[in-house]
Amino acid sequence: MTEIIDLILALSQDIKDLKARIELLRQSRAEVLKDTWIDNQDVLQTLHISKRTLQTLRTNDTLPYSKVKGKFYYRVADIEQLLQDNYYNHNFKCNGNK
């Protein structure tokens, strides 16, 4: 009986180790993606906005970009920052209580 308990405990520890490794891989992948550059079309599809809206975001200096031979590129991290800076939670009150 103790052999079964020892086996279950060992399996439980192995599962915990696997979960930790998977989480580490997910985090490192997310960090790599933040440094990725995407073009106009990807931004339009990701944010579900029009070309004109994206142009306005560039013109107003709301969204940083790089322009190479007439083609615009945007960092994923900058897009995430834009979304984070404009995040609004209607359930959150000023005093921190819901």
Side-chain angles (χ1 to χ4, degrees):
M1 186 67 163
T2 59
E3 291 177 11
I4 293 175
I5 293 173
D6 290 341
L7 180 60
I8 290 172
L9 290 174
L11 286 173
S12 175
Q13 187 58 44
D14 288 345
I15 290 171
K16 287 178 185 177
D17 292 344
L18 284 172
K19 287 171 80 174
R21 288 181 186 175
I22 289 170
E23 185 59 31
L24 184 62
L25 285 172
R26 284 182 50 210
Q27 289 174 355
S28 62
R29 179 168 163 77
E31 289 301 316
V32 168
L33 288 176
K34 284 186 177 185
D35 292 330
T36 303
W37 290 81
I38 59 176
D39 65 6
N40 261 5
Q41 195 62 35
D42 291 331
V43 175
L44 296 175
Q45 290 174 349
T46 301
L47 297 179
H48 303 287
I49 59 175
S50 68
K51 290 180 183 180
R52 181 67 181 110
T53 300
L54 186 54
Q55 180 182 345
T56 301
L57 292 174
R58 284 194 312 265
T59 304
N60 293 343
D61 293 328
T62 304
L63 183 60
Y65 64 92
S66 182
K67 184 178 178 182
V68 180
K69 294 185 179 181
K71 189 166 183 177
F72 294 96
Y73 296 92
Y74 310 86
R75 284 184 39 222
V76 171
D78 292 333
I79 295 168
E80 288 179 354
Q81 187 63 49
L82 173 67
L83 294 172
Q84 189 65 39
D85 291 346
N86 291 283
Y87 178 71
Y88 171 74
N89 183 350
H90 68 279
N91 291 324
F92 187 73
K93 306 243 190 279
C94 291
N95 63 4
N97 297 324
K98 286 188 176 183

